[in-house]
Amino acid sequence: MSWDEAAKVGAVVIASLGGGGFIVWALAGQLGRLWVERFKGDIEAKLKRLESRLSVGNSLLARFNEYELEAIRECSSRARVCVPLLNAVRPMNSGKDRERLVRDANALGDAHNELVRAMTRHEPFLPGDLRNGLDETAKLVRLELLQAQSEEPFTSRWWEEALKNQEDAKAQAESLLTLVREHLARLRASAESLHTE
């Protein structure tokens, strides 16, 4: 069948139906357009709601990342302050000067208290492994303070094991720094993924 024959058949069908066929054909077309417009409007409304939810979700995630970053920054800096103060109470740095040892121990105690306050304030936003590392650092500081503030700090075993204790403190500080860097890299990647979406 050629195009000419198909057009003739179509014209015969429309002519046989008369004006009513034309009306049905026109109404079907109009109803189809209305249905498409309504469907398109529903899709656009749902898309806007979804975009709004994603925007709110991204804002919340960005805010949470800011809180976590602030927690990591403050707590890790408080822990880093403890390291040279830990070394200050060590025998190789304080010698056997009781006044200097007390002064350095008091400074270490103040730094420890600042670390604990920061950890408490930011606890909900600290990742678990980082919180554990900070707890270990605080524990190490407390043990050193107990030794330094004992009645006879210059005759205890702590005095004799000062170099090993210093190496342990350094290893703990490096471990904590590694954890901080890992979490910062994760936060950076999360922030970059938010900007590319």
Side-chain angles (χ1 to χ4, degrees):
M1 182 190 264
S2 70
W3 284 107
D4 289 337
E5 292 174 349
K8 288 179 186 177
V9 170
V12 170
V13 169
I14 289 176
S16 67
L17 292 175
F22 178 74
I23 291 172
V24 168
W25 178 75
L27 282 175
Q30 184 63 23
L31 288 174
R33 280 190 293 279
L34 287 174
W35 183 79
V36 166
E37 287 299 318
R38 185 182 318 152
F39 186 67
K40 183 180 173 186
D42 287 346
I43 289 175
E44 287 175 354
K46 287 177 182 178
L47 186 59
K48 284 182 182 180
R49 284 194 301 271
L50 180 61
E51 286 174 350
S52 176
R53 285 184 195 156
L54 285 174
S55 176
V56 168
N58 285 343
S59 295
L60 289 174
L61 182 58
R63 189 72 176 144
F64 182 79
N65 283 349
E66 288 173 21
Y67 287 143
E68 186 176 353
L69 179 61
E70 174 61 22
I72 290 170
R73 187 198 62 75
E74 184 177 355
C75 291
S76 65
S77 68
R78 299 284 184 202
R80 295 294 287 181
V81 166
C82 290
V83 173
L85 295 173
L86 270 170
N87 291 333
V89 298
R90 309 282 177 174
M92 61 278 298
N93 294 331
S94 67
K96 291 193 175 190
D97 181 354
R98 179 76 168 177
E99 286 181 26
R100 181 176 177 186
L101 181 61
V102 169
R103 185 182 65 243
D104 291 343
N106 287 338
L108 180 57
D110 292 343
H112 169 268
N113 292 341
E114 289 297 318
L115 172 60
V116 170
R117 275 193 281 280
M119 289 168 57
T120 302
R121 181 173 47 256
H122 295 295
E123 185 172 12
F125 304 104
L126 284 172
D129 55 349
L130 194 55
R131 171 68 188 192
N132 292 339
L134 290 165
D135 281 337
E136 286 299 314
T137 300
K139 178 182 171 186
L140 182 65
V141 171
R142 285 190 297 275
L143 291 173
E144 291 297 320
L145 283 171
L146 283 172
Q147 293 296 330
Q149 295 169 345
S150 71
E151 290 296 318
E152 297 295 327
F154 304 118
T155 59
S156 68
R157 189 169 158 200
W158 166 74
W159 190 260
E160 296 166 2
E161 295 180 356
L163 192 55
K164 180 193 174 297
N165 292 342
Q166 192 172 21
E167 291 300 318
D168 289 347
K170 184 179 178 184
Q172 177 62 34
E174 290 302 317
S175 172
L176 190 60
L177 183 59
T178 299
L179 286 172
V180 167
R181 287 181 177 148
E182 289 171 0
H183 283 283
L184 290 178
R186 183 185 53 78
L187 286 173
R188 187 176 297 121
S190 176
E192 288 172 356
S193 72
L194 287 176
H195 289 294
T196 59
E197 291 178 357

